Amino acid sequence: MMKLIQVADLHFGRECKPAITAAISAINSLQADALIVAGDLTQRGKTSEFEAARDWLSQIPLPQIVVPGNHDTPMLNLYARAHEPFKRFCELFGEDMQTLKFPGLKIVGLNTARGWQVRRNWAEGSVNLDDLQDALGDTPELKALVCHHPFRPVPGAPLTTRTKRGARASQAIARSNVRMLFTGHVHQPAIQNWREEGGQYLAIGAGTLSDRLREWPPSFNEIQLNSGQVQVIAHAYEGTRFVPRKLGTFTL
């Protein structure tokens, strides 16, 4: 069995201090194979917030893949947000989108965040289809994709997403060898088997470890992969500890 941990929306600067502290031992106790970080490490894209996120991640000794979110751009520096939005992120986490490779599975990162867009809500996601095609590649191996924004709106979520070119991206990965899409942004754990013409994939969203809560307490996901079966368990912070809640089991 392979086990992955998925976190998102850490929002250092607005982190839930008791939950994010307790999450270190909770995650480490699960003895997973890798940690997936699906964006929004910071609240305002400040250097001190990125350093706090880096220090927190350094306490989880797992192979990690980290992608930026819309909050990982300089919120108060409009020039930097427009011209070099991910400079601070790249200084600590690298300029290239990361990749993790395991026997039978390759996990690939994709940046769907933008520092600025010509639309009212600049925080919404946007998929560069050329970048997506590069991430998909042309190899037959099973893949998972990590980005911050869901491609399709999450059913029942308190936040409706409008990811630019998200529908086309969803259709593209359904036709590809990608079988799991790991995201954040809506601050609520969820799993959905998306069916598109030509294929399907699992959209797996993580909650938040910040105090910017919607309908769920702070949480992270545990994903168990076993002989083509995928079980997703959300670990919710209740009182002083994380309590597992099964979200569902699916076949890849």
Side-chain angles (χ1 to χ4, degrees):
M1 181 178 75
M2 183 177 184
K3 187 181 295 184
L4 306 173
I5 302 298
Q6 178 192 11
V7 301
D9 298 280
L10 307 176
H11 287 288
F12 274 92
R14 285 284 304 274
E15 74 275 18
C16 178
K17 295 186 185 300
I20 208 156
T21 299
I24 295 171
S25 58
I27 291 171
N28 287 337
S29 70
L30 293 171
Q31 299 181 321
D33 297 286
L35 177 68
I36 294 168
V37 186
D40 275 3
L41 286 76
T42 70
Q43 175 63 18
R44 297 186 175 184
K46 296 168 62 176
T47 298
S48 60
E49 294 171 349
F50 279 118
E51 291 173 343
R54 177 201 58 193
D55 293 346
W56 183 81
L57 290 171
S58 71
Q59 299 177 71
I60 302 173
L62 294 173
Q64 300 179 6
I65 182 166
V66 184
V67 301
N70 50 280
H71 276 267
D72 296 324
T73 63
M75 182 174 290
L76 302 179
N77 187 330
L78 298 183
Y79 179 88
R81 179 138 57 90
H83 294 280
E84 47 185 13
F86 300 105
K87 179 181 179 181
R88 294 172 183 173
F89 175 89
C90 291
E91 285 174 347
L92 292 183
F93 299 102
E95 294 187 7
D96 296 324
M97 288 295 98
Q98 301 163 349
T99 297
L100 291 178
K101 193 168 184 179
F102 301 93
L105 178 65
K106 185 176 183 180
I107 307 174
V108 183
L110 178 72
N111 186 2
T112 57
R114 300 292 181 266
W116 180 82
Q117 297 181 69
V118 187
R119 54 174 169 167
R120 179 175 297 178
N121 189 354
W122 64 269
E124 293 282 13
S126 178
V127 180
N128 182 308
L129 296 178
D130 289 335
D131 289 347
L132 176 62
Q133 191 56 50
D134 289 343
L136 296 182
D138 56 4
T139 58
E141 62 193 330
L142 183 68
K143 286 186 179 178
L145 198 63
V146 183
C147 60
H148 183 60
H149 298 85
F151 289 171
R152 296 281 195 181
V154 179
L159 177 68
T160 300
T161 59
R162 298 174 177 83
T163 301
K164 190 173 183 179
R165 291 180 289 273
R168 292 167 65 184
S170 181
Q171 293 161 5
I173 67 170
R175 294 191 300 267
S176 76
N177 51 355
V178 170
R179 289 296 172 263
M180 292 176 288
L181 174 67
F182 295 106
T183 64
H185 192 57
V186 300
H187 293 201
Q188 179 171 308
I191 181 170
Q192 179 74 24
N193 189 17
W194 275 113
R195 299 179 183 274
E196 303 276 10
E197 184 177 354
Q200 62 187 31
Y201 64 94
L202 293 179
I204 304 172
T208 180
L209 286 170
S210 74
D211 63 9
R212 302 179 71 245
L213 304 176
R214 295 193 173 106
E215 296 178 355
W216 263 70
S219 66
F220 65 87
N221 286 347
E222 173 190 355
I223 298 98
Q224 298 179 0
L225 309 175
N226 192 8
S227 301
Q229 296 288 312
V230 180
Q231 182 176 74
V232 180
I233 303 168
H235 291 254
Y237 189 69
E238 298 180 0
T240 60
R241 64 192 181 96
F242 283 91
V243 177
R245 302 184 190 177
K246 293 182 180 180
L247 295 185
T249 301
F250 295 83
T251 300
L252 287 180

